[in-house]
Amino acid sequence: MLKALPLNKRGIPASRIALGCMGLGGGWDHEPVTAENIKQGHEALDAALSIGINFFDHADIYTRGKAEKVFGQIFKERPGLREEIILQSKCGIRLMEPGDITNMFDFSKEHILASVDGTLSRLGTEYIDILLLHRPDPLMDPEEVAEALRQLKASGKVRHFGVSNMSAAQIKLLETYCDEPFIVNQLHMSLAKISWVDAVLSVNREQWKDLTFPEGTIEYCRAGNIQLQAWGPLAQGLFSGRPLEGQPENVVNTASRVRALADEKNTTPEAIVLAWLMTHPAAIQPVIGTVNPLRIAACGGADEIELSRKEWYELYVSSRGEKLP
């Protein structure tokens, strides 16, 4: 039986799976939102609701704000929906504009406050349930971040805060200065992105000394009741139907194992891939990135699948392509 989400333990009735909305709104350009974009949003939303998803993940940069605009229009067309779902968005990335040579990360007070105001305007809502700081900013002043979050909380614009792509040390630095707890850490985790598991096994092993996933991050979040969210949990379909021509042997073998388990358990490959994450006792919440209604529906029931320890390890070792010591 799956453990309750840390979010649930905090009284937030979040679904076991979340829908990531990066694919809504069309291209990453400045073209206006179209009627077809709105239709796609309704279809993705309905597919998500049909499998029990009530948690929707945005960011101010997704399709340059158009993903949030799509949801804002949906709220206008479906009165009462806003209060039935949980909205999460992110800030802190500034995309390149003409004349720029790179994207930037910006955790300045001014940028955080302006980003949230933009998100609220596009969504057409008065508050965000959870705001994540999107990626670490090397120039971050934690005292400045603390002041921004304090203002957002006091104004009622944001109810809870979290981070994305941060290590335990980075979270600890923010916690030193911020009054509000950080209740989410969203990380890249999937059956294809397994460095978060490798980090557990890397202690005192020379061949893994260059592992980049920060040791102790998963453990810190678990100890602090911080919700671990997995972005990219479906690995872009790598194990659930994507053509595998040219893929390495470990990927091909893992896809075969996933299909065999799906057949054995009378479910879909997508559900098996998600169940691998959700079997972990950290109570990981996958944030699926597809907006294809059929693929969303294929994720249904993943939270009802039980993988044995043997099945979990077989998938892990198959993916990494190297036996355990």
Side-chain angles (χ1 to χ4, degrees):
M1 183 176 178
L2 295 180
K3 289 193 172 183
L5 296 177
L7 288 175
N8 299 157
K9 293 177 181 179
R10 293 180 183 273
I12 300 171
S15 51
R16 200 61 181 72
I17 299 172
L19 183 70
C21 299
M22 187 172 69
L24 297 178
W28 289 63
D29 51 39
H30 296 287
E31 295 299 316
V33 170
T34 66
E36 184 60 32
N37 297 150
I38 304 300
K39 179 175 178 289
Q40 180 193 45
H42 279 290
E43 292 172 348
L45 177 69
D46 286 336
L49 293 174
S50 74
I51 62 169
I53 291 176
N54 72 349
F55 193 108
F56 297 87
D57 175 73
H58 284 270
D60 57 351
I61 63 165
Y62 287 170
T63 54
R64 292 188 174 271
K66 291 189 290 182
E68 291 179 334
K69 287 182 178 179
V70 167
F71 250 63
Q73 184 59 37
I74 289 173
F75 288 145
K76 291 179 181 177
E77 297 176 11
R78 297 167 80 156
L81 175 66
R82 173 64 187 95
E83 299 306 316
E84 297 175 4
I85 67 173
I86 298 170
L87 273 181
Q88 175 174 277
S89 198
K90 313 179 195 73
C91 71
I93 299 178
R94 294 173 59 178
L95 298 178
M96 283 190 297
E97 296 292 350
D100 294 338
I101 62 171
T102 183
N103 296 334
M104 292 190 297
F105 305 136
D106 190 348
F107 284 171
S108 66
K109 174 184 172 182
E110 179 183 25
H111 182 73
I112 292 172
L113 296 178
S115 293
V116 170
D117 283 343
T119 285
L120 294 175
S121 176
R122 288 186 293 271
L123 289 170
T125 185
E126 296 180 352
Y127 69 96
I128 305 167
D129 293 287
I130 306 172
L131 174 71
L132 305 187
L133 302 175
H134 206 158
R135 284 191 180 273
D137 172 15
L139 298 179
M140 177 186 75
D141 178 345
E143 293 178 280
E144 192 173 347
V145 172
E147 179 56 32
L149 302 193
R150 194 174 298 117
Q151 288 190 27
L152 291 171
K153 179 73 172 185
S155 66
K157 294 178 180 179
V158 178
R159 294 184 172 178
H160 305 281
F161 300 95
V163 298
S164 182
N165 305 297
M166 287 200 190
S167 69
Q170 290 165 332
I171 298 172
K172 288 178 184 178
L173 176 62
L174 285 166
E175 289 175 329
T176 300
Y177 293 91
C178 296
D179 301 328
E180 289 296 312
F182 291 88
I183 69 170
V184 170
N185 189 10
Q186 189 176 117
L187 301 164
H188 194 184
M189 298 188 288
S190 73
L191 190 52
K193 186 72 172 179
I194 57 174
S195 57
W196 61 281
V197 183
D198 291 339
V200 177
L201 302 173
S202 68
V203 177
N204 202 35
R205 292 191 56 78
E206 180 67 19
Q207 62 265 46
W208 291 341
K209 65 182 175 61
D210 295 325
L211 183 72
T212 57
F213 194 91
E215 181 184 329
T217 296
I218 299 298
E219 292 82 356
Y220 182 78
C221 291
R222 292 180 68 182
N225 200 36
I226 297 172
Q227 179 66 61
L228 286 164
Q229 293 179 343
W231 64 267
L234 291 172
Q236 296 182 321
L238 196 60
F239 308 120
S240 54
R242 200 170 101 192
L244 297 177
E245 290 80 3
Q247 292 291 341
E249 184 179 6
N250 65 306
V251 170
V252 175
N253 290 342
T254 304
S256 178
R257 285 179 178 271
V258 167
R259 286 195 300 273
L261 279 171
D263 290 342
E264 179 184 324
K265 297 178 184 294
N266 194 30
T267 189
T268 64
E270 288 88 349
I272 294 295
V273 171
L274 295 181
W276 183 80
L277 280 170
M278 296 160 72
T279 295
H280 194 281
I284 296 165
Q285 183 187 37
V287 182
I288 60 174
T290 181
V291 293
N292 180 323
L294 294 178
R295 289 204 70 211
I296 294 171
C299 297
D303 56 346
E304 299 174 0
I305 297 171
E306 293 186 13
L307 294 182
S308 68
R309 182 179 293 262
K310 183 175 183 291
E311 290 167 338
W312 191 91
Y313 267 99
E314 285 177 347
L315 286 172
Y316 167 55
V317 173
S318 176
S319 180
R320 67 192 299 268
E322 181 182 347
K323 292 183 179 179
L324 297 178

